[in-house]
Amino acid sequence: MNDEPRDPKSKEFSEWMGDQRRRLGIDRAVAAYTAAKEAALKRLPEMEEMRKEVRRIKEESISRMGELARQAMDSIADVKGTPYLAGDAAEARRIFCSIVGTGKLVVKSKSLTSEEIHLNGALEAAGNDVYETDLGEFIIQLRKEKPTHIINPSVHVPREEVAQTFSKLLGREVSSDIPSLVGVAREFLRDKFCKADVGITGANVVSAKTGTLFIIENEGNARFVSNAPPVHIAITGIEKVVPTLSDAFKVVQTLPPYATGVLISAYVSLVTGPSKTADIEKTIVYGAHGPKELHVVLLDNGRSEMAKDPILREALYCLRCGGCLYECPVYRIVGGSFGDNYFGGIGMVWSAFTRGDEAVAVAIDACTKCGRCKEVCPLEIDVPKMVERLKGKLVRKGHLSRKHAEIRENIERKGNPFGQSERRQ
Ligand code: SF4
């Protein structure tokens, strides 16, 4: 058994716990999110039925995940897109680097899957300039930090610190007034969209039948990224593929109220193949006003393995609304140190399959299995049950926390968890 001390993150946990600045950012965001979500759900009584229907769609989709991914690839090829199936992160990075090449200006919209494969580092190492264009991601990129929430990556950065970061970028004093801060990002990024050689987005859901990518956002940056540059590359996990357009629309309706507390997001882009026109003599030409090339990378990276586990496969239903994180009492205190790329209890399952057991062996003990995440999850995903299952698997593989290892050793050697030599009478 490996009972070496393995809590390198405990220092990070304590740093977060004592960091009032980060807590302030999270507390402000949770208060705003909770009020907005409650108001949105009051106005959407039909969401009770809709979320159950989406759960049914996800159950069916995951049970047919490989077949639907292949169907989506055929459909994407039919509309002159170029599909790829990447088995793991390294293969996905190779695909991206071969499409992008070197010396390019790349703009990106928020994509958790691109972060899963550490895409930015690979593209930069290949000699490209990469700009995140989602405001939260842009802030994180400038600060050389890692995202700490799946929907709101800079949730831990209060406005005063955003002002400092932007002041440094522009070389002049920037006000901490939030609309002014948004204006700075808009001004700085505007010409990047038009000059970029390549735009990279994720996709929230994909229709297998038509090969249509759905990109949901509020800022409008993903529209620029997917439309202005001559090449658009999208990356998404194979679990995002659902059978039909109508199934995809149901996912699109369900996500926004739970993710950001809006009835529907400001923008939902549907991309089915590259831009084209047949306006002159009905001759089709690709690359009219939008991209001439569309590449779609479907990523496995542990998802097929996850689907084989009767309990952990439920993690593949996750819509990535992030609502469970705001409700998680541990996340509210230790924030971005409770996971890496994927956070909280659901993030532990995702990290175990996409990054390996070592990535979660320490952090998983932070989950109290209180069950508040399951209560707020639109799909009622049983996160505590999955965490219990994952912990069991980790322990069987020898991944015990130092304290638990001590307790086990005490029981084995002394017959009690406290290591006492004699029983007290
Ligand atoms: S587990 Fe549920 S609440 Fe948490 S991010 Fe996924 S869909 Fe949202």
Side-chain angles (χ1 to χ4, degrees):
M1 178 191 306
N2 172 15
D3 60 358
E4 286 293 303
R6 291 174 312 90
D7 30 10
K9 280 204 167 181
S10 59
K11 188 165 164 279
E12 203 185 331
F13 280 153
S14 347
E15 278 171 9
W16 271 82
M17 279 193 274
D19 192 332
Q20 295 305 322
R21 168 192 71 88
R22 287 165 167 167
R23 296 268 291 279
L24 177 67
I26 293 177
D27 286 348
R28 283 173 177 166
V30 170
Y33 163 79
T34 308
K37 184 180 88 168
E38 281 172 8
L41 290 178
K42 249 187 216 155
R43 293 177 62 193
L44 293 168
E46 68 274 25
M47 200 45 69
E48 267 312 291
E49 277 312 305
M50 181 68 81
R51 66 190 182 89
K52 288 183 187 136
E53 173 63 4
V54 169
R55 167 129 191 158
R56 189 204 59 72
I57 292 167
K58 292 297 288 184
E59 284 172 356
E60 184 201 338
S61 304
I62 299 308
S63 67
R64 299 171 53 204
M65 193 165 68
E67 172 207 330
L68 288 176
R70 284 188 295 278
Q71 190 188 353
M73 291 181 73
D74 290 344
S75 304
I76 289 163
D78 281 348
V79 292
K80 305 295 179 207
T82 310
Y84 308 79
L85 181 62
D88 59 21
E91 189 181 358
R93 286 193 297 270
R94 276 196 299 277
I95 293 168
F96 268 91
C97 287
S98 71
I99 303 166
V100 175
T102 189
K104 303 287 179 17
L105 175 60
V106 179
V107 285
K108 272 187 78 219
S109 63
K110 186 166 58 196
S111 157
L112 210 52
T113 316
S114 76
E115 276 151 22
E116 179 186 318
I117 65 163
H118 300 292
L119 179 60
N120 287 16
L123 293 176
E124 283 164 356
N128 299 292
D129 287 330
V130 182
Y131 286 92
E132 293 287 352
T133 64
D134 168 83
L135 178 57
E137 291 283 356
F138 181 55
I139 293 167
I140 291 299
Q141 186 182 33
L142 291 175
R143 294 169 66 86
K144 299 187 177 21
E145 292 179 356
K146 65 180 183 103
T148 54
H149 187 277
I150 57 175
I151 289 285
N152 195 350
S154 61
V155 64
H156 61 288
V157 189
R159 66 187 80 129
E160 298 80 4
E161 298 217 1
V162 178
Q164 284 171 11
T165 303
F166 283 2
S167 300
K168 204 169 150 198
L169 173 73
L170 299 184
R172 63 173 165 83
E173 199 64 27
V174 169
S175 150
S176 63
D177 163 62
I178 294 174
S180 308
L181 294 170
V182 176
V184 167
R186 179 185 167 98
E187 186 190 331
F188 182 85
L189 290 169
R190 190 122 299 228
D191 79 320
K192 304 281 184 289
F193 292 119
C194 298
K195 289 182 181 155
D197 303 291
V198 179
I200 296 174
T201 70
N204 301 84
V205 57
V206 179
S207 148
K209 197 166 198 170
T210 58
T212 306
L213 315 175
F214 288 68
I215 305 165
I216 308 173
E217 55 151 345
N218 283 307
E219 293 183 13
N221 62 310
R223 291 216 144 172
F224 270 126
V225 169
S226 61
N227 203 54
V231 177
H232 173 198
I233 315 175
I235 176 165
T236 194
I238 52 174
E239 84 285 2
K240 297 281 177 56
V241 184
V242 297
T244 65
L245 273 178
S246 140
D247 293 328
F249 275 114
K250 286 173 185 156
V251 174
V252 168
Q253 277 176 274
T254 305
L255 188 52
Y258 288 96
T260 52
V262 293
L263 303 192
I264 187 71
S265 299
Y267 303 103
V268 179
S269 302
L270 277 65
V271 178
T272 312
S275 152
K276 61 179 183 287
T277 179
D279 278 1
I280 303 176
E281 297 180 5
K282 283 286 167 214
T283 301
I284 297 179
V285 175
Y286 289 90
H289 297 288
K292 190 172 185 176
E293 293 176 32
L294 170 70
H295 302 264
V296 182
V297 181
L298 294 175
L299 180 70
D300 189 321
N301 200 30
R303 288 157 173 83
S304 295
E305 277 306 303
M306 213 189 298
K308 288 179 192 161
D309 188 294
I311 293 180
L312 299 177
R313 75 201 309 264
E314 206 181 345
L316 293 161
Y317 305 165
C318 177
L319 302 180
R320 307 258 166 85
C321 71
C324 54
L325 296 181
Y326 290 128
E327 196 64 29
C328 173
V330 179
Y331 178 84
R332 299 243 330 233
I333 294 177
V334 302
S337 66
F338 188 10
D340 189 6
N341 194 45
Y342 296 112
F343 302 98
I346 184 76
M348 295 300 105
V349 182
W350 271 92
S351 298
F353 282 92
T354 57
R355 298 204 164 171
D357 296 339
E358 285 297 330
V360 294
V362 174
I364 197 165
D365 283 329
C367 176
T368 63
K369 291 178 275 168
C370 68
R372 285 170 68 171
C373 44
K374 186 184 173 193
E375 279 174 33
V376 297
C377 175
L379 269 57
E380 296 176 28
I381 293 173
D382 197 341
V383 175
K385 192 173 169 188
M386 289 192 292
V387 168
E388 187 63 38
R389 168 91 167 172
L390 186 57
K391 268 191 177 182
K393 283 181 93 169
L394 292 173
V395 168
R396 282 194 291 282
K397 287 183 180 175
H399 296 292
L400 270 183
S401 73
R402 184 167 54 184
K403 262 293 165 217
H404 289 168
E406 267 174 37
I407 290 169
R408 175 183 276 201
E409 197 178 314
N410 287 338
I411 292 170
E412 282 168 1
R413 285 207 194 153
K414 312 271 181 167
N416 67 74
F418 312 106
Q420 293 164 343
S421 336
E422 290 172 14
R423 281 177 197 278
R424 290 186 186 151
Q425 298 299 317

